[in-house]
């Protein structure tokens, strides 16, 4: 085996190579190393997040427990029953105070004085004086009561004991035993002993339970009163909808309106607010009560809170109406029975009574019912009429019902322009002398010329000798907003629509409003969604009877009815669209309105198209026959004799003036500028010339028919001159 070579002598070793090595010293604080975990598979559970401290968890648990619905319900229940007990105690204390003092009489005297009923105030004063005298007598009697009680007790004891001894003596004689003499007395003594024993046994539990029974009695009284705040009532508890309206209900509703002056005044009143109320009276399908407001509370503040007041009364908003009676600082509440306003009011007398007639001058149209359930009768004599409302809310039906009633007066002439044109007025074919149906600009032109024809008739009547009587002439324009918004202009560049002095329709309406009433030329208009553009101010203020169905805003209600009616409580903008069809707010002197009010709410009878046709047939049977004119299309050639035969209809003869007016309505392009002389000249030589009867010129139906029959087939009369 080979041995390793020995190191040579004299080899030099460096000592640092044999020393332990040290890391370099650094003055920078080392950063602890962070172990980066290796990627874990997706199924590995993530690290547990930091849990909140014990205090945080406890606070959260306490908050959750405190705000839990069960805790809140328990708190409401505790507060509710405590309030029941407190309310019962207050009520019993008030009853005891009223029974022992004259406060009740003082309260009734103040109420009577506030209402101005001095006779009742004097009567209550006399009752109070009588109560005080009787109370004084009772107190004086109490001073002598101990002596009388002692004397009575001594006499009673003596008489009782004597009776017992006599009874014992009788029993001793019967039994031949002297010990029976005291037997009845001893029996009474034993009875008294047992009573004392029973009372001593019962007294302890009775003393323990008695206060709780008293609290239970107070709780029962307070629960019957149920005078607690809304927040303390059970969550989700249904309101007592339809409950009777009592004075306490009304006072509580007024107190909780959110008017601080009202609440404070009611709380300070000795009668708890009862003196504010008039007697609650039945009014139709509801009740009515006047509320005299405390000083510092205005009627306007109450009107603005109609919805809250209705909810406080357990009613819907549309079931409470607030008006202003003549008395100062007073509001009149009409509160409907729950759901009563959603029930129909029944058919119109026009449908149910076939013998019903009309009289333009003295009669009243059976339009519907007021909120009291009384018949709402409207006088139409010399009154221009305006009905507004949103679309499809019963405007045409309400307007047509008045026309159907008036049609039963055979002296009334109708000229109708229906700018909707869907047949709502078709039953007036044979009743109206002019009937225009359609929504186009051409129909607006015809309607404008019809109204201008009313103006011409009015001006002719005005110049007649004083004392001349005229038959009523009623012009009706349904959907009048179409006429006001029409952009059409005539040959002279005058617009048909608009609200300026150059507008033909506007100016014709204004002329009728100014002077037509004096000569029985009356204009009725129905329009949708009133604005200054489609219902100018001068036009709406010219109507004597203004009525409105449901509208969208209060500003529209003011346009429809005027500021006075709206300030007095009229609120068509608060009616329910679609649900209150046919319900109108009416401002007119032609309908009975409660004293001090400026409007009345009317639920109109609905007459459908078939029923309207039957009423119209009855009206036609009262007349000799009316030929309804339909304006000819522009440029249509005119046949004079045929046109005259058309406008005369079934009448034996017609005034020349009426024939000329009907010709103008039938074909204004051909006959618009004709005069009486032009008509006589055109008929000369035809055999149908006008003739005088009773001092006035007439045209005969038979002569016109003979002239038509005798003329050559190829010949025709011309309207040209």
């Amino acid at each position: 085996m080979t041995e390793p070579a020995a190191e040579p002598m004299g080899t030099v070793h460096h000592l640092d190579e044999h020393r332990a090595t040290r890391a370099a010293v650094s003055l920078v604080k080392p950063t602890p190393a962070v172990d980066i975990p290796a990627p874990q598979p997706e199924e590995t559970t993530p690290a547990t997040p930091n849990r909140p401290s014990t205090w945080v968890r406890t606070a959260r648990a306490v908050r959750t427990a405190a705000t839990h619905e069960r805790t809140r319900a328990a708190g409401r229940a505790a507060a509710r029953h405590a309030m029941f007990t407190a309310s019962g105690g207050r009520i019993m204390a008030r009853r005891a105070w009223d029974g022992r003092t004259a406060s009740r009489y003082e309260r009734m005297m103040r109420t009577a004085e506030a209402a101005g009923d001095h006779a009742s105030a004097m009567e209550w004063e006399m009752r109070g004086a009588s109560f005080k005298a009787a109370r004084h007598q009772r107190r004086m009697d109490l001073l002598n009561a101990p002596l009388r009680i002692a004397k009575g007790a001594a006499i009673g004891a003596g008489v009782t004991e004597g009776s017992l001894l006599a009874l014992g003596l009788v029993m001793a004689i019967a039994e031949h035993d002297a010990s029976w003499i005291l037997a009845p007395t001893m029996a009474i003594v034993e009875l008294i002993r047992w009573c004392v024993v029973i009372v001593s046994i019962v007294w302890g539990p009775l003393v323990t339970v008695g206060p709780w029974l008293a609290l239970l009695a107070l709780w029962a009284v307070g629960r019957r009163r149920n005078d607690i705040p809304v927040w303390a009532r059970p969550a989700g508890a249904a309101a007592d909808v339809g409950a009777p309206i009592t004075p306490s209900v009304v006072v509580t509703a007024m107190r909780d309106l959110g008017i601080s002056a009202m609440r404070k005044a009611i709380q300070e009143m000795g009668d708890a607010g009862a003196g504010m109320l008039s007697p609650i009276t039945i009014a139709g399908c509801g009740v009515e009560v006047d509320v005299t407001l405390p000083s510092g509370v205005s009627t306007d503040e109450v009107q603005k809170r109609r919805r809250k007041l209705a909810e406080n009364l357990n009613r819907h908003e549309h079931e409470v109406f607030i008006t202003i009676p003549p008395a100062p600082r007073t509001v009149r509440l009409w509160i409907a029975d729950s759901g009563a306003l959603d029930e129909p009011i029944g058919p119109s007398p026009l449908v149910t009574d076939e013998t019903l007639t009309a009289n333009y001058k003295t009669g009243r149209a059976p339009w519907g019912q007021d909120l009291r359930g009384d018949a709402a009768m409207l006088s139409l004599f010399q009154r221009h009429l305006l009905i507004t409302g949103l679309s499809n809310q019963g405007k045409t039906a309400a307007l047509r019902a008045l026309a159907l009633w008036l049609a039963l007066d055979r002296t009334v002439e109708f000229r109708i322009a229906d700018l909707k044109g869907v047949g709502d007025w078709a039953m007036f074919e044979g009743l109206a002398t002019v009937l225009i149906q359609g929504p186009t600009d051409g129909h607006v032109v015809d309607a404008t010329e019809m109204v201008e024809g009313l103006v011409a008739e009015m001006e002719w009547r005005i110049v007649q000798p004083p004392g001349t009587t005229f038959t009523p002439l009623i012009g009706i324009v349904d959907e009048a907003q179409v006429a006001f918004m029409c952009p059409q202009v005539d040959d002279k560049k005058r617009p048909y629509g608009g609200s300026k002095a150059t507008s033909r329709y506007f100016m014709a309406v204004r002329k009728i409003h100014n002077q037509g009433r004096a000569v029985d030329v009356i204009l009725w208009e129905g329009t949708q969604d009133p604005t200054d553009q489609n219902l100018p101010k001068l036009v709406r203020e010219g109507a004597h009877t203004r009525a409105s169905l449901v509208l969208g805003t209060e500003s529209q209600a003011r346009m429809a009815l005027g500021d006075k009616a709206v300030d007095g409580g009229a609120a068509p903008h608060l009616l329910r669209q679609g649900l209150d069809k046919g319900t109108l707010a009416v401002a007119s002197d032609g309908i009975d309105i409660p004293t001090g009010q400026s409007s009345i709410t009317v639920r109109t009878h609905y007459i459908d198209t078939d029923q309207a046709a039957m009423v119209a047939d009855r009206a036609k049977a009262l007349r000799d026959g009316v030929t309804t004119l339909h304006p000819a299309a522009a440029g249509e050639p005119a046949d004079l004799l045929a046109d005259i035969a058309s406008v005369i209809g079934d009448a034996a003869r017609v005034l020349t003036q009426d024939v000329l007016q009907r010709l103008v309505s039938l074909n204004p392009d051909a006959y618009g500028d004709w005069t009486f002389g032009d008509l006589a000249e055109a008929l000369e030589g035809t055999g149908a010339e006008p003739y005088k009867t009773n001092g006035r010129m007439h045209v005969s139906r038979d002569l016109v028919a003979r002239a038509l029959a005798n003329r050559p087939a190829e010949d025709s009369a011309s309207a040209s001159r």
Side-chain angles (χ1 to χ4, degrees), residues 451-621:
V451 177
E452 290 176 339
L454 296 175
V455 174
E457 171 69 14
M458 176 192 71
E459 292 174 344
W460 178 84
R461 292 184 179 190
I462 289 174
V463 299
Q464 298 308 303
T468 305
T469 58
F470 307 103
T471 58
L473 176 57
I474 308 296
I476 301 175
V477 181
D478 196 8
E479 306 296 341
Q481 77 279 356
V482 178
F484 284 111
M485 300 295 289
C486 180
Q488 193 78 7
V489 295
D490 61 12
D491 297 337
K492 299 179 181 179
K493 304 300 182 183
R494 293 184 59 196
Y496 286 92
S499 57
K500 297 182 179 180
T502 56
S503 169
R504 291 180 58 178
Y505 181 80
F506 172 77
M507 291 306 297
V509 170
R510 287 294 301 142
K511 290 178 181 178
I512 295 175
H513 280 178
N514 289 338
Q515 295 179 298
R517 176 177 177 272
V519 290
D520 286 323
V521 177
I522 307 300
L523 182 64
W524 297 356
E525 291 182 287
T527 182
Q528 290 183 14
D529 197 14
T531 64
D532 285 327
Q533 289 71 37
N534 59 30
L535 188 60
K537 180 179 180 181
L538 293 178
V539 171
R540 61 182 185 252
E541 292 185 350
H544 303 98
T545 296
R546 299 168 71 173
S548 176
L549 295 115
V550 57
L551 290 172
T553 63
E554 181 179 339
S555 62
Q556 290 179 330
R558 293 184 180 277
M559 291 181 185
L561 300 176
D563 292 337
K564 181 179 179 181
V566 175
D567 291 338
H573 55 289
L574 296 180
L575 295 173
R576 301 168 297 168
Q577 184 173 357
L579 297 177
D580 289 326
K581 283 187 176 182
T583 300
L584 289 160
V586 183
S588 172
D589 60 350
I591 193 170
D592 293 334
I593 297 177
T595 304
Q597 298 184 23
S598 55
S599 67
I600 188 172
T601 301
V602 176
R603 303 173 68 197
T604 59
H605 296 294
Y606 176 66
I607 304 175
D608 62 30
T609 303
D610 294 336
Q611 294 171 338
M614 291 189 293
V615 177
D617 289 340
R618 298 208 313 265
K620 293 173 187 177

Side-chain angles (χ1 to χ4, degrees), residues 189-418:
V189 171
E190 188 68 16
L191 177 63
I192 293 173
R193 187 179 74 83
W194 279 107
C195 289
V196 171
V197 171
I198 293 173
V199 170
S200 63
I201 295 173
V202 175
W203 182 255
L206 185 62
V207 171
T208 303
V209 177
W212 296 103
L213 293 177
L215 289 177
L216 182 61
L218 296 178
W219 174 87
V221 173
R223 186 173 182 273
R224 283 196 299 269
R225 181 68 175 269
N226 198 24
D227 186 13
I228 60 173
V230 176
W231 63 265
R233 296 176 182 176
D240 192 9
V241 177
I245 300 299
T246 62
S248 62
V249 170
V250 177
V251 172
T252 302
M254 299 297 292
R255 183 197 66 192
D256 296 340
L257 273 183
I259 304 175
S260 58
M262 175 91 74
R263 171 178 287 275
K264 183 177 180 181
I266 291 176
Q267 291 175 344
E268 292 177 352
M269 290 181 182
D271 56 358
M276 298 168 52
L277 307 182
S278 70
I280 298 177
T281 58
I282 296 176
C285 57
V287 297
E288 189 174 74
V289 59
D290 285 356
V291 182
T292 302
L293 304 179
S295 178
V297 182
S298 67
T299 57
D300 182 62
E301 290 180 282
V302 177
Q303 284 183 305
K304 290 179 179 179
R305 291 170 170 80
R306 177 185 174 189
R307 172 175 294 181
K308 190 169 185 178
L309 177 60
E311 292 173 350
N312 290 347
L313 293 168
N314 293 324
R315 293 296 190 272
H316 296 291
E317 183 179 10
H318 70 277
E319 294 175 330
V320 175
F321 287 81
I322 305 173
T323 53
I324 309 299
R329 212 174 67 247
T330 302
V331 293
R332 177 168 295 163
L333 306 181
W334 185 86
I335 308 161
D337 297 335
S338 184
L341 296 184
D342 295 328
E343 299 295 330
I345 64 172
S348 169
L350 292 174
V351 177
T352 58
D353 186 1
E354 295 185 358
T355 64
L356 188 67
T357 59
N359 188 299
Y360 165 74
K361 186 174 182 180
T362 62
R364 288 175 175 258
W367 209 9
Q369 294 180 0
D370 61 15
L371 295 177
R372 291 173 168 267
D374 299 329
M377 313 290 286
L378 180 66
S379 172
L380 303 173
F381 177 62
Q382 293 185 345
R383 289 179 176 88
H384 301 302
L385 177 68
L386 173 66
I387 297 181
T388 63
L390 298 180
S391 177
N392 194 32
Q393 298 302 307
K395 171 177 51 61
T396 297
L399 187 62
R400 188 178 64 188
L402 298 176
L404 287 171
W405 175 81
L406 197 56
L408 297 175
D409 183 345
R410 58 180 300 171
T411 65
V412 178
E413 177 186 352
F414 291 96
R415 300 181 187 179
I416 301 174
D418 175 17

Side-chain angles (χ1 to χ4, degrees), residues 64-75:
T64 302
T67 58
H68 195 274
E69 182 57 32
R70 292 183 180 178
T71 306
R72 298 172 63 184

